[in-house]
Amino acid sequence: MAVASVTPTPLLKDELDIVIPTIRNLDFLEMWRPFFQPYHLIIVQDGDPSKTINVPEGFDYELYNRNDINRILGPKASCISFKDSACRCFGYMVSKKKYIYTIDDDCFVAKDPSGKDINALEQHIKNLLCPSTPHFFNTLYDPYREGADFVRGYPFSMREGAATAVSHGLWLNIPDYDAPTQLVKPRERNTRYVDAVMTIPKGTLFPMCGMNLAFDRELIGPAMYFGLMGDGQPIGRYDDMWAGWCIKVICDHLGLGVKTGLPYIWHSKASNPFVNLKKEYKGIYWQEEIIPFFQSATLPKDCTSVQQCYLELSKQVKEKLSTIDPYFTKLADAMVTWIEAWDELNPTGEGLAKPSILNGPGK
Amino acid sequence: MAVASVTPTPLLKDELDIVIPTIRNLDFLEMWRPFFQPYHLIIVQDGDPSKTINVPEGFDYELYNRNDINRILGPKASCISFKDSACRCFGYMVSKKKYIYTIDDDCFVAKDPSGKDINALEQHIKNLLCPSTPHFFNTLYDPYREGADFVRGYPFSMREGAATAVSHGLWLNIPDYDAPTQLVKPRERNTRYVDAVMTIPKGTLFPMCGMNLAFDRELIGPAMYFGLMGDGQPIGRYDDMWAGWCIKVICDHLGLGVKTGLPYIWHSKASNPFVNLKKEYKGIYWQEEIIPFFQSATLPKDCTSVQQCYLELSKQVKEKLSTIDPYFTKLADAMVTWIEAWDELNPTGEGLAKPSILNGPGK
């Protein structure tokens, strides 16, 4: 098999699912075949469930449309967004694997400066399997990388680092700009390949983009909720941002690491800035209050599981953000519903089977 | 002039001094000639003051040896280290310029991946003249750089950034490792050129190396004290680390930015790891307590000048670190002496002449 020569031993083959939200045929997978084919895909079909999504031959996948989501979650399906890529988080919930990689269907294989195709998934796996350094900044970037180390003055007691929960990858070509920046700089392209992976320090928030993102489901999965966006909601394009703020506060509280940097994917086409502006405009002014809220959010010491942290955060959201807009009351309730649904589909206790309702997705 | 064709309009020519601590002839300047010759140099001669340091022809410089330091500072000269590159901070104090660049005499011009000589000073100046982003992380690195911007989800109210006080450059070839790491990895070389400048987020400490460092003297100068190291002191090679912890706490308090990343210099030779171990070993275990001290240090709101912040920090050092070793009482006192000496040589009030004692360094 040609694939075998490219990736002789695909890392974490049986421990990672690739989650793809889509409304169209997945021709983009052809380019990813050498890297993705060994893995299992979870495709979350957004929009009209009667439409057939074509998946290229040879991929191992399960596909869920809105009817499947409604059937599996029942009334709790209300926490999963519709007509917005936020629906992807349903895939995180139904996965049975330890790791998730999620990618948008307009993202292609990028090349490194030497011209070689970048195996984005492999780099994400490396990022997740090696520790983070959230407590002190290492000026030579990832100290665990070959040819690098901790620099003079880095405390030895901190050199074991923290477990990595999230790996945030970047984009060459079309950068992930908001609508106003897209409008002002329609021709800007990201051509700079920065050869670094770094830990986002404890206490620092970042804008997490869901386009090229991997995480450890066991460590942080229940916090990776992409919120209420799109159809029937006053806001869009803040799904990944919302998740990013929540996961960062919780990772900081639980002592987990979040990395950003490599790998790059090639982002092929800019979305329509006028449509984006309509989706984003409330978020653009709401975030001026939301971000200070998350910057000052603290969680009580007795919150030791991701679920506990997330439910506590939902309370604080309801209490402190509902004054901005009634939407946040609805969102806080959806956060609770999300956790209930997560726990229903992911019962704790070793050896417990998944609920039988999960059997038979619409493959 | 050949120089003019390389740097037609050297940036900040009359507003920046280059400070070089040394014990030997400054042949290394030959390689830097195209970049440094337009600027004024302040050379701080360490060790035997009777030794003559040769400076290549054509450079504009003033040179201070220990006798000069003692003459200029009188009893306050006790705060300036001897037989340690920490003595360089005397140069910061006697400068009359707004900006300082300091470099070690074993640092040479590095090449970028295209093979072009890197004008390190020019990059530092760019870093200092453009804002920092300490309050929120930008995943595409410096948002002010050409071809980059703030990404989706970056709050618009934070896009003006903060004034940049410090620019910390990096090193190709010999990395800045501590003695234990030097011993374990004697052959490790830094070959990775990471094409990025980033702001170290508010609340995060970093190991600041003095080898390739620029700063705004007006914004942060009085905190750039390199401590008591070397001759007669129980510790060495922590001069820049000490300054880095202090300036970061004060920059965070005053809302100033600290950047790290580009430019690279070529660090030519590793210092002796056995000698380094002797100098460092107390620092290696002391830093396990010092760093948590600085991580939790807060300054009162009424500290609005760098001097006020620094004196407050010296009190906290005396109070909280003296339990580690009596050295910290001495260091705290030296911090106060440093500020007194700084203020004496740098009287505030527009148009005030520098004290006449400053005239006639031993050029």
Side-chain angles (χ1 to χ4, degrees):
Chain A
M1 263 175 40
V3 172
S5 68
V6 177
T7 52
T9 50
L11 287 160
L12 304 180
K13 191 181 108 46
D14 300 316
E15 293 172 77
L16 184 141
D17 282 336
I18 299 175
V19 172
I20 303 164
T22 194
I23 51 168
R24 55 194 150 209
N25 295 333
L26 292 176
D27 304 326
F28 91 111
L29 284 173
E30 279 304 343
M31 197 183 187
W32 288 104
R33 190 180 289 277
F35 305 126
F36 289 179
Q37 192 159 294
Y39 295 87
H40 182 70
L41 312 182
I42 297 178
I43 298 161
V44 184
Q45 177 179 351
D46 197 17
D48 181 5
S50 70
K51 199 181 154 186
T52 301
I53 300 284
N54 291 327
V55 181
E57 277 293 306
F59 283 94
D60 170 45
Y61 70 96
E62 52 195 302
L63 184 150
Y64 299 90
N65 63 28
R66 191 70 209 184
N67 295 337
D68 299 315
I69 295 172
N70 290 339
R71 176 174 51 81
I72 291 166
L73 294 184
K76 295 196 183 74
S78 62
C79 73
I80 303 297
S81 299
F82 187 49
K83 295 194 179 168
D84 191 286
S85 73
C87 67
R88 75 174 83 208
C89 65
F90 178 75
Y92 312 157
M93 192 183 256
V94 295
S95 168
K96 297 175 185 69
K97 307 287 174 58
K98 182 166 161 58
Y99 300 98
I100 296 285
Y101 175 49
T102 185
I103 183 169
D104 281 5
D105 62 6
D106 63 347
C107 292
F108 294 88
V109 178
K111 288 184 188 298
D112 71 18
S114 77
K116 199 177 152 231
D117 279 354
I118 297 168
N119 185 345
L121 181 52
E122 184 183 46
Q123 179 67 50
H124 275 297
I125 290 169
K126 282 184 189 168
N127 293 350
L128 289 170
L129 294 182
C130 110
S132 294
T133 54
H135 301 291
F136 201 74
F137 192 94
N138 194 50
T139 51
L140 287 184
Y141 311 100
D142 181 2
Y144 306 106
R145 191 168 171 182
E146 208 185 307
D149 211 311
F150 293 95
V151 298
R152 180 171 57 92
Y154 203 102
F156 280 82
S157 64
M158 294 182 187
R159 295 190 186 197
E160 287 200 7
T164 303
V166 177
S167 168
H168 177 259
L170 300 175
W171 343 276
L172 289 172
N173 195 37
I174 308 285
D176 186 33
Y177 287 163
D178 48 60
T181 308
Q182 279 184 295
L183 287 165
V184 171
K185 292 178 154 183
R187 290 175 196 283
E188 189 149 290
R189 297 294 178 265
N190 186 25
T191 59
R192 181 172 296 120
Y193 181 93
V194 175
D195 187 15
V197 177
M198 72 195 58
T199 298
I200 300 176
K202 183 176 177 178
T204 299
L205 293 181
F206 77 115
M208 187 179 82
C209 171
M211 220 185 312
N212 172 26
L213 179 73
F215 60 92
D216 184 322
R217 222 178 134 264
E218 284 180 10
L219 287 179
I220 198 65
M224 213 37 109
Y225 175 46
F226 272 42
L228 294 176
M229 302 284 149
D231 200 47
Q233 308 301 340
I235 186 175
R237 281 171 60 85
Y238 272 86
D239 51 341
D240 41 7
M241 296 298 139
W242 182 261
W245 301 324
C246 293
I247 62 98
K248 190 58 173 50
V249 167
I250 293 173
C251 284
D252 285 351
H253 175 76
L254 296 175
L256 301 170
V258 176
K259 291 182 185 176
T260 184
L262 302 182
Y264 286 93
I265 52 79
W266 181 266
H267 186 206
S268 68
K269 66 173 200 301
S271 41
N272 184 316
F274 299 99
V275 173
N276 290 348
L277 189 60
K278 191 177 165 189
K279 291 178 182 172
E280 282 175 16
Y281 80 96
K282 290 196 175 178
I284 284 173
Y285 63 88
W286 285 349
Q287 75 185 356
E288 298 292 341
E289 287 185 63
I290 299 172
I291 286 169
F293 159 77
F294 280 104
Q295 282 178 328
S296 64
T298 55
L299 299 169
K301 275 197 178 160
D302 62 354
C303 288
T304 54
S305 73
V306 179
Q307 276 91 334
Q308 287 171 330
C309 291
Y310 202 72
L311 291 173
E312 168 64 26
L313 209 47
S314 78
K315 275 185 220 160
Q316 297 184 16
V317 166
K318 186 175 267 187
E319 192 185 311
K320 297 196 179 154
L321 294 182
S322 292
T323 51
I324 301 177
D325 192 278
Y327 166 72
F328 291 94
T329 307
K330 207 163 64 167
L331 178 54
D333 289 338
M335 292 167 76
V336 176
T337 305
W338 160 264
I339 292 293
E340 289 169 356
W342 182 283
D343 286 344
E344 201 174 300
L345 297 192
N346 296 277
T348 49
E350 299 277 323
L352 261 180
K354 291 268 176 148
S356 61
I357 201 169
L358 253 183
N359 295 335
K363 176 162 177 179
Chain B
M1 263 172 43
V3 171
S5 69
V6 176
T7 52
T9 49
L11 287 161
L12 303 180
K13 189 180 109 44
D14 300 317
E15 294 172 76
L16 183 141
D17 282 335
I18 299 175
V19 172
I20 303 164
T22 193
I23 50 168
R24 56 194 150 209
N25 295 333
L26 292 177
D27 305 326
F28 91 111
L29 284 172
E30 279 305 344
M31 198 183 186
W32 288 105
R33 190 180 286 278
F35 305 126
F36 289 178
Q37 192 158 296
Y39 295 88
H40 182 69
L41 312 181
I42 297 178
I43 298 161
V44 185
Q45 178 180 350
D46 198 16
D48 182 3
S50 70
K51 197 180 156 188
T52 301
I53 299 284
N54 291 328
V55 181
E57 277 293 306
F59 283 94
D60 170 47
Y61 70 95
E62 51 194 303
L63 183 150
Y64 299 91
N65 64 28
R66 192 69 207 183
N67 295 337
D68 299 315
I69 295 173
N70 290 339
R71 177 174 51 81
I72 291 167
L73 293 184
K76 295 195 182 75
S78 62
C79 73
I80 303 297
S81 300
F82 188 49
K83 295 194 180 168
D84 191 286
S85 73
C87 68
R88 76 175 82 205
C89 64
F90 178 76
Y92 312 158
M93 193 184 256
V94 294
S95 168
K96 297 174 186 71
K97 306 287 174 58
K98 182 166 161 57
Y99 300 98
I100 296 285
Y101 174 50
T102 185
I103 183 170
D104 281 4
D105 62 6
D106 63 347
C107 292
F108 294 88
V109 177
K111 288 185 187 297
D112 70 18
S114 77
K116 200 177 151 228
D117 280 354
I118 297 168
N119 185 344
L121 181 51
E122 184 183 46
Q123 178 69 50
H124 276 297
I125 290 170
K126 281 184 190 168
N127 293 350
L128 289 171
L129 294 182
C130 108
S132 294
T133 53
H135 301 291
F136 201 75
F137 193 93
N138 195 51
T139 50
L140 287 184
Y141 312 99
D142 180 1
Y144 306 106
R145 191 168 172 185
E146 209 186 306
D149 211 311
F150 293 95
V151 299
R152 181 171 57 92
Y154 203 101
F156 279 82
S157 64
M158 293 182 188
R159 295 191 184 195
E160 287 201 7
T164 304
V166 177
S167 168
H168 177 261
L170 301 175
W171 342 276
L172 289 172
N173 196 37
I174 308 284
D176 186 32
Y177 288 163
D178 48 60
T181 309
Q182 280 184 295
L183 288 165
V184 172
K185 293 178 154 184
R187 289 176 196 280
E188 188 149 291
R189 297 293 178 265
N190 185 25
T191 58
R192 183 172 295 120
Y193 182 92
V194 175
D195 186 14
V197 177
M198 72 194 58
T199 298
I200 300 175
K202 184 176 177 179
T204 300
L205 293 181
F206 77 115
M208 188 179 81
C209 171
M211 220 186 310
N212 172 26
L213 180 72
F215 60 93
D216 183 323
R217 219 177 137 266
E218 285 181 9
L219 287 179
I220 198 66
M224 212 39 107
Y225 176 45
F226 273 41
L228 294 176
M229 303 282 148
D231 199 46
Q233 309 301 340
I235 185 176
R237 282 172 58 85
Y238 273 85
D239 52 339
D240 42 6
M241 297 299 141
W242 182 261
W245 301 324
C246 293
I247 61 99
K248 191 57 171 52
V249 167
I250 293 173
C251 284
D252 285 352
H253 176 76
L254 296 176
L256 300 170
V258 176
K259 292 183 186 175
T260 185
L262 303 182
Y264 287 93
I265 52 79
W266 181 266
H267 186 206
S268 68
K269 68 172 200 301
S271 41
N272 184 314
F274 300 98
V275 173
N276 290 347
L277 188 60
K278 192 177 164 191
K279 291 179 182 173
E280 282 175 16
Y281 79 97
K282 292 197 174 177
I284 283 173
Y285 63 88
W286 287 349
Q287 74 185 358
E288 299 292 342
E289 287 185 64
I290 299 172
I291 286 171
F293 160 77
F294 280 105
Q295 282 178 326
S296 63
T298 55
L299 299 169
K301 274 197 180 164
D302 61 355
C303 287
T304 53
S305 73
V306 179
Q307 278 90 335
Q308 287 171 332
C309 291
Y310 202 72
L311 291 173
E312 169 65 25
L313 209 47
S314 76
K315 275 186 220 160
Q316 297 185 18
V317 166
K318 186 175 267 186
E319 192 186 311
K320 298 196 178 155
L321 295 183
S322 292
T323 51
I324 301 178
D325 192 278
Y327 166 72
F328 290 94
T329 308
K330 208 164 61 166
L331 178 55
D333 290 338
M335 291 168 76
V336 176
T337 305
W338 160 265
I339 292 292
E340 289 168 356
W342 182 283
D343 286 345
E344 201 174 300
L345 297 191
N346 296 277
T348 49
E350 299 277 323
L352 264 179
K354 290 268 174 146
S356 61
I357 201 170
L358 253 183
N359 295 336
K363 177 162 175 177

